[in-house]
Amino acid sequence: MPAILRHAGQRLATTLLVLIGAVALLFVLTLFISGNPAQVLLGPRATPEAVRAFAEAMGLDRPVHERFALFLWNVLRGDLGTDVVSGRPVATLVAEVLPYTVTLTLSAIAIAVLFGVPLGCYAATHPGSALDRATAAVSIGFIAIPNFVVAILLLLVFSIWLDWFPVLGVSRSGDLSDQLARLVLPALSLALTWIGYIARLLRASLLEVLGEAHIRTLRAYGVPDRTIVYKYALKPAAIPTVAILGLGIGRLLGGAIFAEIVFARPGIGTLVYDAISSRNYPVVQACVLVVVALFTLTNLAVDLSYAWLDPRIRKAGDR
Amino acid sequence: MVDVTRRQLLAAGAALGVAGTGFSLPVLAQSETGAGRKSITLALPRDVQPPFDPLNRLSYPEGNILRAVLQGLIAFKPGSFEWELSAAKRIEQVSDTVIEFELKPGLQFHDGFGELTADDVKFSFERAIKPGPDGKLPLHGKDLSALEEVEVTGTHTGRIKLKTPAPALWQVVLPDNSGLIISRKAFEAGAYRADQPTKVIGTGPYRLAEWRPNERVVLRANPDFQGPKPGFEEIVLRPVRDSKTAELAFRADELQFTAIEPANAADVGKIPGTKILKQDSINFVWVGINVEKAPFTDLRVRQAIRLAIDVDQVIEGAYNGAVGRAYAPVAPGLLGYWKDAPRRARDVAAAKKLLAEAGVSGLRTRLTLLNKPAYQNAGIIIQAQLAEVGITLDLDVQEGGSYWSAGNGETGKTLELSLQRFGGKADPSFQLQWFTAAQIGSWNWQRWNNPDYDALFAKAGAITDAAERGRLYIEAQKLIDESAAFIWLTHEVNVYALKDWLVPGILPNGDDQLFNRFGAA
């Protein structure tokens, strides 16, 4: 069996274990959360009878290990459970909002790469220049400012003062330009931090690669600097950045909650936020499962991409 | 394998740069007046949750949607708790336990479910007292617990028969959400269920045209509605959890109506074309003391705490002076309002004396409160005030999930002081029901138990003479006051930002809204 397939198989098995571990951890954590879920869901005026009925419907009258086993069994059958508030399948709830979060996350990553990579490349090829120093300051600024502050500032500048983009995050389906317009600010609010990360990380790793022997050889052969940077140095230098991006997607999935709340967008973030606030455990469990699955699968893809990015890794894997 | 070339990178970067610096993407069309406006967008504080079923609704936002889609026999008028006829052509209390009604003929349910008849009224109301196929009563079935049956005397006529007199029915059921009439035929065909959220069949001014979770609810005018035409063809409801976002969306004219923080009213009011609506609320906010927990079992300790707290200072700090002070749970303007309730001033010396008499010194206690800025500010001020009489107060700030269970069951026994806020309804029986002994372990977090209070409450709830009811409810509030277990802070104020051409349809508690009564001036 080729090494790459063996590696992929091992990572898939690890992914499954991580998923089960995450769900188990969540079950344990729910035991420590104060507040009766049924009471919270039904609000301050609920009768004790209604609270009892709801608790029963949520399965809270069963032992935790039984609930855990039942949940795992249902997941294996493709059933994420039923939302006890609306009575709708949790899988449907997740499927309704997941595209919004995935679109937002991917857009943020795309913006981060589009701006972060050129900035990182420039800084690496012009170390110590005024633009390099400015890029460093701006990058650190981007990293330091929390997402929700950035989101509010973007709204003030681009929606209120300049009137370029709408405030609320989604529009009616069918109007693509409006949908894109409503995606820009939420995606940018998430991306800014990552522009800084990518620029700084890429600069450091590119400087390291540019000092390696094969780059010196290329220079000795008279290969133009730009070709050296973009064709020969960028891909191996991108490996740490890609690794961070893999983790970043996980953080963005979690961080999307701020953008979704501030821009009033539907998404997995707002779904899980509401579900946690109301102790709607079936929805929380399903959302965590989906986010963990996306996170681990993304990292699996990132792991596999190293071989594509660096022939030395590919060849080492084949030996 | 794909190579990313410098040219490709630069092209992509340039394209995004152009988009980011100069290219103006389309924004929503804006309107400066209401003339000819067919659609408005209102903010919801949270996403709504199916089922859209009057007796199984979750809370206010769902109830407001139901009010727009269904009709009751009577309905509230905007801005007051007076009612007017809705589906009923005539309705009359013919005895203490019988209400006769006659429906307007020809009211048609959507989607061909036929005419609204007295049998639909019977079905809608009796659902509240008859267990469903799962053997359970609907969530809000208790609202109609006084109901014996609805007797159908004709296609459009019937008699609501009660087991005991229930005057509160005229305020908290008949014009309210639990009194909305659904179609028996549609219910049996699967409408009003959570798994078919938009299948809400009614005779009201709007139809529920679209529900997209966490995104929007769209109400569209019902062409078959036989009452006054609603002000707008379409009402879009957008869940906006963050109040700052709602404010910004209002500035950008993406929302035409939203609740705002009272402290921001002056600032938002400066936006051209904006009207700020401040409406005294009938909700009630107070500090409760658990009378079962030592040393609060001693009346003098409770009285000392009450005297140590300067309520005016608390509400000034917590609400920026935007709200009035409450002296009793029932708000001004309602039946049972106790206008002569004691106006106590802070008296540190008297508080210290009471504590000394009770033999309490160096008391350390805990105030449990919700993690809302206003309540947290109130907590900090109370903490400082109690320190002056020698009481150390720890603030136990909790998020909603934990907070709303804090006084329930066994946990409630360990509660000490709590800052609470309950919503009000038009009838004092709603406000005062939470302080009966039956509510200990549920919503009577003070665990205050006074049989005289319970007797007064029960008696007032079963007589129809309004003046006598009011008198009894005042007597009941006097007992509450004597207990010193309740320190009333405010009835709150509802503050809304709206376009100056918009006429809102809001009930006095602020939470209940009549979407069909929103219109353009």
Side-chain angles (χ1 to χ4, degrees), chain A residues 34-36 39-40 44-46 86 88 96 100 114-115 160 164-168 170 172 182 235 262 274 279 308, chain B residues 1-2 12 16 21 25 27-28 50 194 212-213 215 234 241 245 248 254 399 401-402 405 408 422-423 434 443:
Chain A
S34 61
N36 177 347
Q39 189 82 70
V40 176
R45 309 289 174 268
S86 67
R88 303 173 73 223
E96 280 169 350
Y100 290 104
L114 281 172
F115 283 99
I160 303 300
W164 287 358
F165 299 103
V167 175
L168 301 178
V170 286
R172 283 163 198 264
R182 288 173 189 276
K235 281 210 298 191
V262 172
D274 287 347
R279 309 286 191 267
W308 172 77
Chain B
M1 189 180 294
V2 180
L16 212 73
T21 55
L25 289 162
V27 293
L28 284 183
R212 293 176 70 85
E215 194 181 321
E234 184 181 81
R241 291 169 183 77
T245 304
L248 293 173
E254 290 179 56
E399 53 80 44
S402 304
S405 299
N408 303 143
F422 278 10
W434 315 113
W443 298 112

Short mmCIF file of all heavy atoms in Angstrom, two decimals, chain A residues 34-36 39-40 44-46 86 88 96 100 114-115 160 164-168 170 172 182 235 262 274 279 308, chain B residues 1-2 12 16 21 25 27-28 50 194 212-213 215 234 241 245 248 254 399 401-402 405 408 422-423 434 443:
data_model
loop_
_atom_site.label_atom_id
_atom_site.label_comp_id
_atom_site.label_asym_id
_atom_site.label_seq_id
_atom_site.Cartn_x
_atom_site.Cartn_y
_atom_site.Cartn_z
N SER A 34 -24.66 24.33 35.22
CA SER A 34 -25.83 24.52 36.08
C SER A 34 -27.02 24.91 35.22
O SER A 34 -26.88 25.35 34.09
CB SER A 34 -25.55 25.60 37.11
OG SER A 34 -25.27 26.81 36.46
N GLY A 35 -28.20 24.77 35.77
CA GLY A 35 -29.41 25.17 35.05
C GLY A 35 -30.12 23.97 34.48
O GLY A 35 -29.51 23.12 33.83
N ASN A 36 -31.40 23.92 34.75
CA ASN A 36 -32.22 22.84 34.22
C ASN A 36 -32.57 23.15 32.76
O ASN A 36 -33.24 24.15 32.50
CB ASN A 36 -33.49 22.74 35.08
CG ASN A 36 -34.45 21.69 34.57
OD1 ASN A 36 -34.30 21.18 33.47
ND2 ASN A 36 -35.43 21.37 35.39
N GLN A 39 -36.17 23.83 32.02
CA GLN A 39 -36.61 25.09 32.62
C GLN A 39 -36.17 26.26 31.75
O GLN A 39 -36.94 27.18 31.47
CB GLN A 39 -35.99 25.23 34.01
CG GLN A 39 -36.54 26.38 34.81
CD GLN A 39 -37.83 26.02 35.48
OE1 GLN A 39 -37.85 25.24 36.41
NE2 GLN A 39 -38.91 26.55 34.98
N VAL A 40 -34.92 26.21 31.33
CA VAL A 40 -34.38 27.29 30.52
C VAL A 40 -35.12 27.40 29.19
O VAL A 40 -35.49 28.48 28.74
CB VAL A 40 -32.87 27.06 30.27
CG1 VAL A 40 -32.31 28.12 29.35
CG2 VAL A 40 -32.12 27.07 31.58
N PRO A 44 -39.28 31.59 31.89
CA PRO A 44 -39.53 31.86 33.29
C PRO A 44 -40.94 31.51 33.78
O PRO A 44 -41.18 31.54 34.96
CB PRO A 44 -39.28 33.36 33.42
CG PRO A 44 -38.82 33.85 32.12
CD PRO A 44 -38.98 32.78 31.12
N ARG A 45 -41.87 31.26 32.89
CA ARG A 45 -43.24 31.06 33.35
C ARG A 45 -43.71 29.62 33.21
O ARG A 45 -44.90 29.35 33.28
CB ARG A 45 -44.21 31.96 32.58
CG ARG A 45 -43.81 33.40 32.53
CD ARG A 45 -43.99 34.07 33.89
NE ARG A 45 -43.46 35.41 33.81
CZ ARG A 45 -42.20 35.71 34.12
NH1 ARG A 45 -41.38 34.77 34.54
NH2 ARG A 45 -41.76 36.94 34.02
N ALA A 46 -42.79 28.72 32.96
CA ALA A 46 -43.21 27.35 32.70
C ALA A 46 -43.73 26.66 33.95
O ALA A 46 -43.25 26.88 35.05
CB ALA A 46 -42.01 26.58 32.17
N SER A 86 -38.32 22.73 18.62
CA SER A 86 -39.14 22.82 17.41
C SER A 86 -39.67 21.47 16.97
O SER A 86 -40.58 21.41 16.15
CB SER A 86 -38.33 23.45 16.28
OG SER A 86 -37.29 22.58 15.90
N ARG A 88 -38.06 19.56 15.12
CA ARG A 88 -37.50 19.30 13.79
C ARG A 88 -36.22 18.48 13.93
O ARG A 88 -35.52 18.57 14.94
CB ARG A 88 -37.21 20.62 13.07
CG ARG A 88 -38.45 21.49 12.96
CD ARG A 88 -38.11 22.85 12.40
NE ARG A 88 -37.80 22.79 10.99
CZ ARG A 88 -36.79 23.42 10.42
NH1 ARG A 88 -35.98 24.17 11.12
NH2 ARG A 88 -36.58 23.32 9.13
N GLU A 96 -29.41 23.46 7.24
CA GLU A 96 -29.92 24.77 6.81
C GLU A 96 -28.89 25.87 7.00
O GLU A 96 -28.82 26.80 6.20
CB GLU A 96 -31.19 25.12 7.61
CG GLU A 96 -32.44 24.44 7.09
CD GLU A 96 -33.61 24.59 8.05
OE1 GLU A 96 -33.42 25.03 9.20
OE2 GLU A 96 -34.73 24.23 7.66
N TYR A 100 -24.03 28.61 5.18
CA TYR A 100 -23.70 30.01 5.49
C TYR A 100 -22.33 30.08 6.19
O TYR A 100 -21.51 30.94 5.87
CB TYR A 100 -24.76 30.61 6.42
CG TYR A 100 -26.09 30.84 5.75
CD1 TYR A 100 -27.16 29.99 6.00
CD2 TYR A 100 -26.28 31.90 4.88
CE1 TYR A 100 -28.39 30.20 5.41
CE2 TYR A 100 -27.51 32.12 4.28
CZ TYR A 100 -28.56 31.26 4.55
OH TYR A 100 -29.77 31.47 3.94
N LEU A 114 -5.36 35.92 -0.16
CA LEU A 114 -5.15 36.89 -1.24
C LEU A 114 -4.36 38.11 -0.79
O LEU A 114 -3.57 38.66 -1.54
CB LEU A 114 -6.50 37.33 -1.81
CG LEU A 114 -7.15 36.33 -2.77
CD1 LEU A 114 -8.55 36.77 -3.13
CD2 LEU A 114 -6.31 36.20 -4.03
N PHE A 115 -4.59 38.53 0.45
CA PHE A 115 -3.84 39.69 0.94
C PHE A 115 -2.58 39.28 1.70
O PHE A 115 -1.55 39.95 1.60
CB PHE A 115 -4.74 40.54 1.86
CG PHE A 115 -5.73 41.38 1.09
CD1 PHE A 115 -7.04 40.96 0.94
CD2 PHE A 115 -5.35 42.58 0.52
CE1 PHE A 115 -7.95 41.72 0.24
CE2 PHE A 115 -6.26 43.35 -0.19
CZ PHE A 115 -7.57 42.92 -0.33
N ILE A 160 -22.07 52.58 7.49
CA ILE A 160 -22.72 53.81 7.94
C ILE A 160 -22.11 55.04 7.28
O ILE A 160 -22.79 55.84 6.66
CB ILE A 160 -22.67 53.93 9.47
CG1 ILE A 160 -23.31 52.69 10.11
CG2 ILE A 160 -23.35 55.21 9.95
CD1 ILE A 160 -24.76 52.45 9.76
N TRP A 164 -21.25 51.66 1.61
CA TRP A 164 -20.89 50.75 0.52
C TRP A 164 -21.56 49.39 0.68
O TRP A 164 -21.89 48.74 -0.31
CB TRP A 164 -19.37 50.52 0.50
CG TRP A 164 -18.60 51.68 -0.01
CD1 TRP A 164 -19.09 52.87 -0.49
CD2 TRP A 164 -17.18 51.77 -0.08
NE1 TRP A 164 -18.08 53.69 -0.84
CE2 TRP A 164 -16.88 53.04 -0.62
CE3 TRP A 164 -16.13 50.91 0.24
CZ2 TRP A 164 -15.58 53.47 -0.84
CZ3 TRP A 164 -14.83 51.34 0.03
CH2 TRP A 164 -14.56 52.60 -0.50
N PHE A 165 -21.67 48.95 1.91
CA PHE A 165 -22.19 47.59 2.14
C PHE A 165 -23.33 47.62 3.14
O PHE A 165 -23.37 48.48 4.02
CB PHE A 165 -21.07 46.69 2.69
CG PHE A 165 -19.89 46.53 1.77
CD1 PHE A 165 -18.72 47.23 2.00
CD2 PHE A 165 -19.98 45.71 0.67
CE1 PHE A 165 -17.64 47.11 1.15
CE2 PHE A 165 -18.89 45.58 -0.20
CZ PHE A 165 -17.72 46.28 0.05
N PRO A 166 -24.25 46.66 3.03
CA PRO A 166 -25.36 46.59 3.99
C PRO A 166 -24.88 46.12 5.36
O PRO A 166 -23.80 45.55 5.49
CB PRO A 166 -26.31 45.55 3.40
CG PRO A 166 -25.73 45.15 2.10
CD PRO A 166 -24.33 45.62 2.01
N VAL A 167 -25.71 46.35 6.37
CA VAL A 167 -25.37 45.96 7.75
C VAL A 167 -25.73 44.50 8.00
O VAL A 167 -24.91 43.72 8.48
CB VAL A 167 -26.11 46.86 8.76
CG1 VAL A 167 -25.85 46.38 10.19
CG2 VAL A 167 -25.70 48.31 8.61
N LEU A 168 -26.95 44.16 7.70
CA LEU A 168 -27.43 42.82 8.01
C LEU A 168 -26.87 41.82 7.00
O LEU A 168 -26.78 42.11 5.81
CB LEU A 168 -28.96 42.77 8.04
CG LEU A 168 -29.59 43.73 9.07
CD1 LEU A 168 -31.11 43.66 9.01
CD2 LEU A 168 -29.11 43.40 10.47
N VAL A 170 -27.47 38.71 5.53
CA VAL A 170 -27.95 37.86 4.45
C VAL A 170 -29.11 38.53 3.74
O VAL A 170 -29.76 39.41 4.27
CB VAL A 170 -28.42 36.46 4.94
CG1 VAL A 170 -27.26 35.58 5.31
CG2 VAL A 170 -29.39 36.60 6.08
N ARG A 172 -32.35 37.94 0.53
CA ARG A 172 -33.22 36.92 -0.04
C ARG A 172 -32.44 36.11 -1.06
O ARG A 172 -31.57 36.63 -1.74
CB ARG A 172 -34.40 37.59 -0.75
CG ARG A 172 -35.42 38.08 0.20
CD ARG A 172 -36.32 39.06 -0.51
NE ARG A 172 -37.01 39.85 0.48
CZ ARG A 172 -38.23 39.57 0.91
NH1 ARG A 172 -38.90 38.56 0.43
NH2 ARG A 172 -38.81 40.31 1.82
N ARG A 182 -23.33 41.33 1.01
CA ARG A 182 -23.57 41.08 2.44
C ARG A 182 -22.54 40.11 3.04
O ARG A 182 -22.54 39.90 4.23
CB ARG A 182 -24.99 40.54 2.63
CG ARG A 182 -26.04 41.60 2.41
CD ARG A 182 -27.44 41.05 2.43
NE ARG A 182 -28.39 42.06 2.01
CZ ARG A 182 -28.92 42.98 2.80
NH1 ARG A 182 -28.57 43.00 4.08
NH2 ARG A 182 -29.76 43.88 2.34
N LYS A 235 6.35 27.53 -2.48
CA LYS A 235 5.63 26.30 -2.10
C LYS A 235 6.21 25.65 -0.85
O LYS A 235 5.46 25.38 0.10
CB LYS A 235 5.60 25.34 -3.29
CG LYS A 235 4.51 25.75 -4.30
CD LYS A 235 3.90 24.62 -5.08
CE LYS A 235 4.88 23.88 -5.92
NZ LYS A 235 4.22 22.95 -6.86
N VAL A 262 -22.88 39.64 15.13
CA VAL A 262 -22.78 41.07 14.83
C VAL A 262 -23.46 41.41 13.49
O VAL A 262 -24.13 42.43 13.37
CB VAL A 262 -21.30 41.52 14.83
CG1 VAL A 262 -21.18 42.96 14.33
CG2 VAL A 262 -20.72 41.41 16.22
N ASP A 274 -27.31 29.88 20.44
CA ASP A 274 -28.68 29.81 20.96
C ASP A 274 -28.90 28.50 21.71
O ASP A 274 -29.56 28.47 22.75
CB ASP A 274 -29.69 29.90 19.81
CG ASP A 274 -29.78 31.31 19.24
OD1 ASP A 274 -29.25 32.23 19.89
OD2 ASP A 274 -30.37 31.48 18.16
N ARG A 279 -29.63 25.59 26.65
CA ARG A 279 -29.35 24.22 27.10
C ARG A 279 -30.03 23.19 26.20
O ARG A 279 -30.53 22.17 26.67
CB ARG A 279 -29.79 23.99 28.55
CG ARG A 279 -29.30 25.00 29.54
CD ARG A 279 -27.81 24.79 29.81
NE ARG A 279 -27.40 25.59 30.95
CZ ARG A 279 -26.88 26.81 30.87
NH1 ARG A 279 -26.69 27.36 29.68
NH2 ARG A 279 -26.51 27.47 31.94
N TRP A 308 2.02 17.47 -1.71
CA TRP A 308 1.85 18.20 -2.96
C TRP A 308 2.74 19.44 -2.99
O TRP A 308 3.32 19.81 -4.00
CB TRP A 308 0.37 18.59 -3.12
CG TRP A 308 0.12 19.50 -4.28
CD1 TRP A 308 0.06 19.17 -5.59
CD2 TRP A 308 -0.11 20.92 -4.22
NE1 TRP A 308 -0.19 20.26 -6.36
CE2 TRP A 308 -0.30 21.36 -5.53
CE3 TRP A 308 -0.18 21.83 -3.18
CZ2 TRP A 308 -0.55 22.69 -5.84
CZ3 TRP A 308 -0.43 23.16 -3.49
CH2 TRP A 308 -0.61 23.58 -4.81
N MET B 1 -1.32 19.10 -10.78
CA MET B 1 -0.82 20.10 -9.84
C MET B 1 -0.97 21.50 -10.44
O MET B 1 -0.68 21.72 -11.60
CB MET B 1 0.65 19.80 -9.54
CG MET B 1 1.20 20.64 -8.42
SD MET B 1 2.91 20.24 -8.14
CE MET B 1 2.77 18.56 -7.57
N VAL B 2 -1.37 22.45 -9.63
CA VAL B 2 -1.57 23.80 -10.13
C VAL B 2 -0.48 24.70 -9.59
O VAL B 2 -0.20 24.71 -8.40
CB VAL B 2 -2.95 24.34 -9.66
CG1 VAL B 2 -3.15 25.76 -10.18
CG2 VAL B 2 -4.06 23.43 -10.14
N ALA B 12 -5.30 38.56 -8.94
CA ALA B 12 -6.32 38.33 -7.91
C ALA B 12 -6.26 39.43 -6.85
O ALA B 12 -7.28 39.96 -6.42
CB ALA B 12 -6.10 36.96 -7.28
N LEU B 16 -9.23 42.24 -5.92
CA LEU B 16 -9.78 42.42 -4.57
C LEU B 16 -9.52 43.83 -4.05
O LEU B 16 -10.34 44.42 -3.37
CB LEU B 16 -9.19 41.38 -3.63
CG LEU B 16 -10.15 40.94 -2.55
CD1 LEU B 16 -11.24 40.06 -3.12
CD2 LEU B 16 -9.41 40.22 -1.46
N THR B 21 -11.44 49.13 -2.37
CA THR B 21 -11.17 50.57 -2.23
C THR B 21 -12.15 51.45 -2.99
O THR B 21 -12.46 52.54 -2.54
CB THR B 21 -9.77 50.90 -2.75
OG1 THR B 21 -9.67 50.42 -4.09
CG2 THR B 21 -8.70 50.28 -1.89
N LEU B 25 -20.52 48.29 -3.98
CA LEU B 25 -21.48 47.21 -4.23
C LEU B 25 -22.87 47.67 -3.86
O LEU B 25 -23.06 48.59 -3.07
CB LEU B 25 -21.07 45.99 -3.41
CG LEU B 25 -19.81 45.31 -3.94
CD1 LEU B 25 -19.21 44.43 -2.88
CD2 LEU B 25 -20.12 44.51 -5.19
N VAL B 27 -26.38 48.35 -2.28
CA VAL B 27 -27.00 48.25 -0.96
C VAL B 27 -28.52 48.30 -1.17
O VAL B 27 -28.99 48.64 -2.24
CB VAL B 27 -26.58 49.38 -0.01
CG1 VAL B 27 -25.12 49.24 0.34
CG2 VAL B 27 -26.86 50.73 -0.60
N LEU B 28 -29.23 48.00 -0.13
CA LEU B 28 -30.69 47.99 -0.24
C LEU B 28 -31.22 49.36 -0.61
O LEU B 28 -30.71 50.38 -0.15
CB LEU B 28 -31.30 47.57 1.10
CG LEU B 28 -31.23 46.09 1.44
CD1 LEU B 28 -31.95 45.87 2.75
CD2 LEU B 28 -31.87 45.26 0.36
N PRO B 50 -40.63 27.43 15.88
CA PRO B 50 -41.90 26.73 15.77
C PRO B 50 -42.08 25.86 17.01
O PRO B 50 -41.09 25.55 17.68
CB PRO B 50 -41.74 25.87 14.52
CG PRO B 50 -40.49 26.32 13.87
CD PRO B 50 -39.65 26.98 14.92
N ALA B 194 -44.67 21.81 14.47
CA ALA B 194 -43.30 22.30 14.34
C ALA B 194 -42.63 21.81 13.06
O ALA B 194 -41.79 22.49 12.49
CB ALA B 194 -42.48 21.87 15.55
N ARG B 212 -37.36 31.44 7.55
CA ARG B 212 -36.01 30.90 7.35
C ARG B 212 -35.29 31.04 8.67
O ARG B 212 -35.07 32.15 9.16
CB ARG B 212 -35.28 31.65 6.23
CG ARG B 212 -35.91 31.40 4.86
CD ARG B 212 -35.22 32.22 3.79
NE ARG B 212 -33.88 31.73 3.54
CZ ARG B 212 -33.59 30.73 2.70
NH1 ARG B 212 -34.56 30.13 2.04
NH2 ARG B 212 -32.36 30.34 2.52
N PRO B 213 -34.94 29.88 9.28
CA PRO B 213 -34.36 29.91 10.62
C PRO B 213 -33.18 30.86 10.70
O PRO B 213 -32.33 30.89 9.82
CB PRO B 213 -33.91 28.47 10.85
CG PRO B 213 -34.66 27.65 9.87
CD PRO B 213 -34.99 28.53 8.72
N GLU B 215 -32.84 33.76 10.10
CA GLU B 215 -32.66 34.68 8.99
C GLU B 215 -33.84 35.65 8.89
O GLU B 215 -33.66 36.85 8.96
CB GLU B 215 -32.48 33.88 7.71
CG GLU B 215 -31.97 34.69 6.56
CD GLU B 215 -31.83 33.84 5.31
OE1 GLU B 215 -31.43 32.66 5.42
OE2 GLU B 215 -32.16 34.35 4.23
N GLU B 234 -46.32 43.72 3.33
CA GLU B 234 -45.37 42.71 3.79
C GLU B 234 -44.63 43.23 5.04
O GLU B 234 -44.25 44.39 5.09
CB GLU B 234 -44.34 42.46 2.68
CG GLU B 234 -43.35 41.36 2.98
CD GLU B 234 -42.35 41.20 1.84
OE1 GLU B 234 -41.38 41.99 1.78
OE2 GLU B 234 -42.54 40.29 1.02
N ARG B 241 -29.59 39.74 17.24
CA ARG B 241 -29.31 39.52 18.66
C ARG B 241 -28.55 40.68 19.30
O ARG B 241 -28.72 40.97 20.46
CB ARG B 241 -28.48 38.24 18.82
CG ARG B 241 -29.23 37.00 18.51
CD ARG B 241 -28.26 35.84 18.42
NE ARG B 241 -28.96 34.63 18.05
CZ ARG B 241 -29.35 34.36 16.82
NH1 ARG B 241 -29.12 35.23 15.85
NH2 ARG B 241 -29.98 33.24 16.54
N THR B 245 -25.85 46.14 16.57
CA THR B 245 -26.10 45.86 15.15
C THR B 245 -27.48 46.36 14.75
O THR B 245 -27.65 46.94 13.67
CB THR B 245 -26.01 44.34 14.89
OG1 THR B 245 -24.75 43.87 15.33
CG2 THR B 245 -26.18 44.02 13.42
N LEU B 248 -27.26 49.99 14.21
CA LEU B 248 -26.58 50.33 12.95
C LEU B 248 -27.46 50.03 11.75
O LEU B 248 -27.52 50.79 10.79
CB LEU B 248 -25.25 49.57 12.84
CG LEU B 248 -24.17 49.97 13.85
CD1 LEU B 248 -22.96 49.05 13.76
CD2 LEU B 248 -23.74 51.41 13.62
N GLU B 254 -32.02 49.61 7.08
CA GLU B 254 -32.33 48.20 6.82
C GLU B 254 -33.39 47.72 7.80
O GLU B 254 -34.02 46.68 7.58
CB GLU B 254 -31.07 47.35 6.94
CG GLU B 254 -30.11 47.60 5.79
CD GLU B 254 -28.85 46.77 5.93
OE1 GLU B 254 -28.95 45.55 6.02
OE2 GLU B 254 -27.76 47.37 5.94
N GLU B 399 -25.33 33.66 33.61
CA GLU B 399 -25.98 33.78 32.28
C GLU B 399 -27.37 33.14 32.36
O GLU B 399 -27.67 32.40 33.31
CB GLU B 399 -25.10 33.19 31.18
CG GLU B 399 -24.60 31.79 31.39
CD GLU B 399 -25.62 30.75 31.06
OE1 GLU B 399 -26.27 30.88 30.02
OE2 GLU B 399 -25.79 29.80 31.85
N GLY B 401 -29.09 30.75 31.12
CA GLY B 401 -29.34 29.33 31.31
C GLY B 401 -29.29 28.91 32.77
O GLY B 401 -30.13 28.17 33.25
N SER B 402 -28.29 29.42 33.49
CA SER B 402 -28.17 29.07 34.90
C SER B 402 -29.12 29.90 35.74
O SER B 402 -29.77 29.39 36.66
CB SER B 402 -26.74 29.34 35.39
OG SER B 402 -25.84 28.63 34.59
N SER B 405 -32.79 29.00 36.48
CA SER B 405 -33.04 27.82 37.31
C SER B 405 -32.63 28.05 38.76
O SER B 405 -32.81 27.17 39.61
CB SER B 405 -32.24 26.62 36.77
OG SER B 405 -32.63 26.32 35.47
N ASN B 408 -35.23 27.48 41.55
CA ASN B 408 -36.13 26.32 41.44
C ASN B 408 -35.68 25.16 42.31
O ASN B 408 -34.48 24.99 42.58
CB ASN B 408 -36.19 25.84 39.98
CG ASN B 408 -36.65 26.94 39.05
OD1 ASN B 408 -36.18 27.04 37.95
ND2 ASN B 408 -37.55 27.79 39.51
N PHE B 422 -39.70 40.23 35.96
CA PHE B 422 -40.78 39.46 35.34
C PHE B 422 -41.55 40.38 34.38
O PHE B 422 -41.68 41.57 34.61
CB PHE B 422 -41.75 38.94 36.40
CG PHE B 422 -41.29 37.66 37.09
CD1 PHE B 422 -40.02 37.16 36.92
CD2 PHE B 422 -42.15 36.96 37.93
CE1 PHE B 422 -39.60 35.99 37.55
CE2 PHE B 422 -41.75 35.80 38.57
CZ PHE B 422 -40.47 35.31 38.38
N GLY B 423 -42.08 39.79 33.34
CA GLY B 423 -42.92 40.54 32.40
C GLY B 423 -44.34 40.64 32.93
O GLY B 423 -44.80 39.76 33.66
N TRP B 434 -47.18 34.79 41.03
CA TRP B 434 -45.87 34.18 41.29
C TRP B 434 -45.49 34.16 42.76
O TRP B 434 -44.47 33.59 43.13
CB TRP B 434 -44.79 34.92 40.49
CG TRP B 434 -45.19 35.18 39.08
CD1 TRP B 434 -45.45 36.39 38.51
CD2 TRP B 434 -45.45 34.20 38.07
NE1 TRP B 434 -45.84 36.23 37.21
CE2 TRP B 434 -45.85 34.91 36.91
CE3 TRP B 434 -45.40 32.81 38.02
CZ2 TRP B 434 -46.19 34.26 35.72
CZ3 TRP B 434 -45.74 32.17 36.83
CH2 TRP B 434 -46.12 32.89 35.70
N TRP B 443 -41.36 29.74 40.91
CA TRP B 443 -41.05 31.14 40.64
C TRP B 443 -41.12 32.06 41.85
O TRP B 443 -40.80 33.23 41.73
CB TRP B 443 -41.95 31.66 39.51
CG TRP B 443 -41.69 30.89 38.27
CD1 TRP B 443 -42.52 30.03 37.64
CD2 TRP B 443 -40.46 30.86 37.54
NE1 TRP B 443 -41.90 29.45 36.57
CE2 TRP B 443 -40.64 29.95 36.47
CE3 TRP B 443 -39.23 31.51 37.67
CZ2 TRP B 443 -39.63 29.67 35.56
CZ3 TRP B 443 -38.22 31.23 36.75
CH2 TRP B 443 -38.44 30.32 35.72
#
